[in-house]
Amino acid sequence: MPVLEAVRLALQAVWSAKLRSFFTLLGIIVSVGFLVVVVAVIQGMNAYVKENLTGAIVGTNAFQVRRSPISVGLLDDEQVRAIAKRPLVSEEDAATVQRALPDAEAVALQSGWPTPISDVDYHDRTVGSVPIFGVTPAYQIVQDYRMLAGVPLTEPDVRERRPVAVLGYDIAEKLFDEPATAVGKKVRLSGREVLVTGVIQKKGRVLGQSFDAFVMLPLTTFESFYGRRKTTVVSVKMANADAVQPAMERAEEAMRVAHRLRPGEANDFTVDKADALVAFWRQLTRLLFTAIPAVVCVGIVVGGIVIMNIMLMSVTERTREIGLRKSLGARRADIRRQFLIEAVVLSTLGGIQGVLAGWGLAYVVSSLTPLPARITLWSVAVALALGAGAGIVFGVFPASRAARLDPITALRAE
């Protein structure tokens, strides 16, 4: 029997018993669909963290000079003690970095941890638990802020310690309904009155977290209200991503000279970008990728055993057909190939249905939740290979059993 004829007969057998075939393939469909959707979510999250979250926190093509590193997870006691002994990053450090990086698009100083949280009041309206940041004007360039209304913070605002503020879109919307009308109004922060000079365009949400719910003050005004922070940060924005790493090295060298550190002596500062966030997420996804194969393999094995049992039943049902084919000259290899092709076709159909189910579920996840999902060709290829592989592995025994049947005994079967 030619291969194409065997494939046609296999498809005909599946179609003639659609319900049985569906339940036969259910284990493979679920396993393959699970693989596709989980890989899609993980790949989407990897890209999302790299493209959006890190840029939203640190800035695009940017890095920071900090007292403490951007670390995800707990630091041990020794690390905490070592960081506590470091000097605060100062305005002089920002000037040092700026001199070392004349090609930087912006070098900004901003308040760090602990970030004060305050109610923002306007007449009878209050927005609670709003983070307040103190920044120099260049910070607005680092973060790619665009003004919806009014003007950004300026150098005179910082120099003269003016009581002015720029509101994030969400805060202006909650206080004034129409965000643009906030400009020129006075709001109260922690009992102090400040004039709103600008409202920033909406940046949106990242993983459900809004990046438009904040108030920015000139750094000097901020420090007169809330005192100096323990982790003042210098943020640097470069023209493109390729310039970031060389700029980090130059900034580190300039800071070591400014802090009079000897060769071999550890830095008393950190030059960091958001790699810690990406590294943390990749570590988490590595753990997920170690668990996924086990779950998928269990499902594939269960599905493969079901396919094997169905194929054994098919051999029993078609014993007379096998005897007739052998009596007409079919060899063992011909019979074995026919049943093996049927098993592969059956499991491949399960793999295709699983891919389609996973694809649809990934679309639903990305549409209805904050989790992004990206289907990758390699995950589809692996899923289809698993489906076909299950047919080969678990179809060998039924095919071999069919091939070993004695033709005379098989012809006598009822």
Side-chain angles (χ1 to χ4, degrees), residues 312-328:
L312 286 172
M313 186 174 67
S314 178
V315 169
T316 303
E317 292 174 348
R318 296 161 61 185
T319 300
R320 189 175 179 80
E321 174 197 330
I322 295 169
L324 184 60
R325 290 197 61 211
K326 283 196 167 188
S327 68
L328 294 175

Side-chain angles (χ1 to χ4, degrees), residues 356-374:
L356 294 176
W359 205 315
L361 188 55
Y363 176 78
V364 171
V365 168
S366 62
S367 300
L368 302 181
T369 72
L371 296 174
R374 294 187 179 183

